[in-house]
Amino acid sequence: MSKRIAIVEDDPAIRANYADALQKHGYQTATYAERGEALAAFATRLPDLAVIDIGLRDEVDGGFELCRALRAQSATLPIIFLTARDSDFDIVSGLRMGADDYLTKDVSLPHLLARIAALFRRAEVAAAPGDLARVEAAMAAAMAPAPDDDLVLALVAPVLAAFPPAEPELRAMAGFLQGMASERRKLREGLAAAQAGSREDRREAQAQRSRAEAQQERADRLQAKLEALTNLEKSLADRPHADDTDRRTR
């Protein structure tokens, strides 16, 4: 998403020229002619960067007042004074009020664009967590009662991939944390696989026992039937002898 730059300039032609030049280089712009108008807009939404003239219509030092108000709203918002006033007193006053840069209106467009890009880079670096903060957060995650190894690996990856390289001590610590988290994750995955295999073995053993019990039950039924048939066969075989005995007795 393109950055939004506020231009506070009371001269309509200059204001339009700045806006057109910045838009051609991919920036969004919002333009204001006076301090009150700009403050009302900033109360709703702050820009990503503000370019301010010092003299705003009837307010000789309106830009200074606007800078002071903006800095009270945000300690990190990049602010550039772009003005015709070039005295040391004005330059020092503007910077002391919180501006990040002070340029005069005879500055070339490439120079202005380079200053704006530099301020955006500085703001992005300040907003991003530093290598030390990443390593400290990774260490806290690694040493927690329930270590979050995925978080550790995510935190140390930018430190190890940074160019130019991070400080040797930080890289060494990041490498140690990465190795520890990777090894612990491998162990955890191996344990999970072993547990899954153990459960599968238990299920298979249970299935084998069930099959064996079913087979034994069938065998018992067959044995019972065989015994019954054997008894019937003996009974039938003994019956003629019993008949002969009866006839002799009679």
Side-chain angles (χ1 to χ4, degrees):
M1 184 176 179
S2 61
K3 300 290 187 180
R4 187 169 181 266
I5 298 176
I7 302 169
V8 188
E9 165 63 55
D10 60 346
D11 186 302
I14 295 176
R15 187 170 64 244
N17 287 340
Y18 288 158
D20 183 60
L22 292 172
Q23 289 167 11
K24 286 180 179 178
H25 285 80
Y27 295 111
Q28 298 179 29
T29 61
T31 60
Y32 310 98
E34 58 185 11
R35 180 172 65 94
E37 180 187 10
L39 282 175
F42 296 158
T44 302
R45 177 187 177 186
L46 284 174
D48 297 307
L49 182 145
V51 177
I52 305 173
D53 191 8
I54 295 176
L56 298 173
R57 293 193 172 172
D58 296 334
E59 295 184 293
V60 176
D61 292 333
F64 285 155
E65 296 300 322
L66 178 58
C67 177
R68 185 181 288 110
L70 266 178
R71 189 52 73 220
Q73 287 183 265
S74 170
T76 59
L77 174 69
I79 300 173
I80 298 177
F81 277 119
L82 185 55
T83 177
R85 291 160 57 168
D86 59 359
S87 71
D88 287 344
F89 177 81
D90 287 328
I91 295 171
V92 171
S93 296
L95 295 175
R96 283 181 173 174
M97 285 180 185
D100 298 280
D101 208 343
Y102 190 108
L103 303 173
T104 55
K105 289 183 178 178
D106 57 356
V107 68
S108 67
L109 178 59
H111 189 167
L112 173 61
L113 291 168
R115 294 294 187 97
I116 289 173
L119 285 179
F120 278 136
R121 284 196 304 272
R122 187 191 306 170
E124 289 169 359
V125 169
D131 292 336
L132 178 59
R134 288 181 182 277
V135 171
E136 288 176 343
M139 189 176 300
M143 301 304 175
D148 188 340
D149 293 321
D150 291 335
L151 177 58
V152 173
L153 294 172
L155 286 167
V156 301
V159 179
L160 295 172
F163 185 85
E167 292 295 325
E169 294 82 357
L170 289 177
R171 282 183 59 81
M173 179 56 71
F176 170 76
L177 291 169
Q178 182 186 57
M180 182 176 66
S182 298
E183 186 64 27
R184 191 159 51 193
R185 187 162 67 175
K186 288 179 183 177
L187 289 173
R188 190 169 59 248
E189 291 172 351
L191 178 60
Q195 290 173 341
S198 178
R199 286 193 295 271
E200 185 62 30
D201 291 342
R202 287 197 296 271
R203 284 195 293 269
E204 180 60 26
Q206 180 63 40
Q208 290 178 356
R209 283 196 296 272
S210 297
R211 288 194 294 269
E213 290 171 356
Q215 289 172 353
Q216 183 62 48
E217 186 177 349
R218 286 196 297 272
D220 292 343
R221 287 199 299 268
L222 288 172
Q223 181 66 30
K225 288 181 180 179
L226 180 59
E227 291 176 355
L229 287 172
T230 301
N231 292 333
L232 177 60
E233 185 179 4
K234 288 176 64 178
S235 175
L236 291 173
D238 291 340
R239 182 171 296 175
H241 300 293
D243 293 342
D244 292 342
T245 301
D246 291 340
R247 283 194 294 272
R248 284 196 299 269
T249 302
R250 287 196 296 268

